[in-house]
Amino acid sequence: MAAQRTQQTAPPSTGEGAPTSGVTLAAASARHASKIFGTGDTSVTALDDVTLELPLGRFTAIMGPSGSGKSTLMHCLAGLDTLTSGQVLIGETDLATLSDRERTILRRDRLGFVFQSFNLLPTLTAEENITLPADLAGRAPDRAWFDTVVAKLNLEDRLRHRPSELSGGEQQRVAVGRALISMPDVVFADEPTGALDSKAGTELLRFLRSIVDDLGQTVVMVTHDPGAAAYADRVVFLVDGAIVDELVEPTRERVLEIMGRLGE
């Protein structure tokens, strides 16, 4: 049986961006986060004073029209880009206080990434791709956790195959396994179904949903697909770099309704 992670509940509190009673503690958060590209007349505000908490052990989707800042927000939350002002925290760690090397180590050890293009190494087997983060850190992966992840992703019979011998859906499942192998605080998924057909995309979304429900994982997904967003616990909507709406327990129809109002 898969191990269930312990979730803590935040005490009642008030204030902007603060957790409220019954809401799990934040795995990651942004506080008054702003990101401006360029200077002067050519500057573009990609994020505009965003305050957001990503609860531990929950699945959050980020949506918005093209150019709304959703990918920029995820990249800043994941430490792949830096803010112009404000804070991003992973747990209680402020990314701005870390050196480049410390930020790299944090991404390796505490965060997982799933990209639309899979980003697997073609010369490695599926197993070697999954264990790559642990190998790069110079430590053996936890075999019990490895077995749990591989079973959850239904990859037991594909571990000796290289990416070229796998379907797109299998390659993306390997990418999910690689993201999970370090038992990360958060898994960030950037349009993870974008390169998959409908069947493989649905299977992947079910896997992401199951690692939240069964393994206690925290998942943050950027998507333009209302059907994909419906797998999340909450959808956050951005327009012009600002959060303009949010939806708890989303359905495809309710997501479509809000996106229609936002002009998508």
Side-chain angles (χ1 to χ4, degrees), residues 2 15 23 30 42 57 66 81 83 85 89 99 126 155 161 165 172-173 178 180 195 205 217 226 228 246:
V23 178
T42 62
S66 297
D81 201 351
L83 296 173
S85 62
L89 296 94
S99 66
L155 287 170
H161 292 71
E165 301 170 308
Q172 193 62 298
R173 278 185 271 155
R178 180 183 59 194
L180 290 172
L205 291 164
Q217 185 61 61
E246 101 173 40

Side-chain angles (χ1 to χ4, degrees), residues 66-208:
S66 297
S68 61
K70 54 186 183 292
S71 290
T72 300
L73 175 58
M74 192 191 77
H75 291 164
C76 290
L77 286 167
L80 298 170
D81 201 351
T82 57
L83 296 173
T84 303
S85 62
Q87 288 181 297
V88 166
L89 296 94
I90 301 298
E92 296 181 354
T93 302
D94 186 342
L95 295 187
T97 67
L98 303 180
S99 66
D100 289 344
R101 181 174 181 276
E102 289 170 335
R103 194 178 296 113
T104 298
I105 292 171
L106 180 142
R107 287 197 301 265
R108 183 192 70 197
D109 293 347
R110 296 179 59 186
L111 304 178
F113 299 93
V114 182
F115 301 100
Q116 179 175 324
S117 56
F118 315 146
N119 290 2
L120 302 179
L121 295 183
T123 60
L124 300 184
T125 65
E127 179 170 0
E128 289 166 340
N129 268 288
I130 290 172
T131 62
L132 184 61
D135 296 336
L136 291 174
R139 57 175 179 263
D142 183 302
R143 293 311 298 187
W145 179 246
F146 174 86
D147 291 342
T148 294
V149 168
V150 168
K152 172 61 65 179
L153 296 173
N154 195 26
L155 287 170
E156 296 98 325
D157 297 333
R158 311 300 283 167
L159 292 177
R160 296 185 180 181
H161 292 71
R162 288 183 169 81
S164 62
E165 301 170 308
L166 302 173
S167 69
E170 288 169 339
Q171 290 184 62
Q172 193 62 298
R173 278 185 271 155
V174 171
V176 173
R178 180 183 59 194
L180 290 172
I181 195 62
S182 299
M183 300 184 184
D185 294 4
V186 189
V187 171
F188 291 98
D190 192 359
E191 299 280 5
T193 63
L196 304 179
D197 60 33
S198 178
K199 179 181 178 182
T202 297
E203 289 177 350
L204 178 69
L205 291 164
R206 288 173 177 167
F207 286 129
L208 293 176

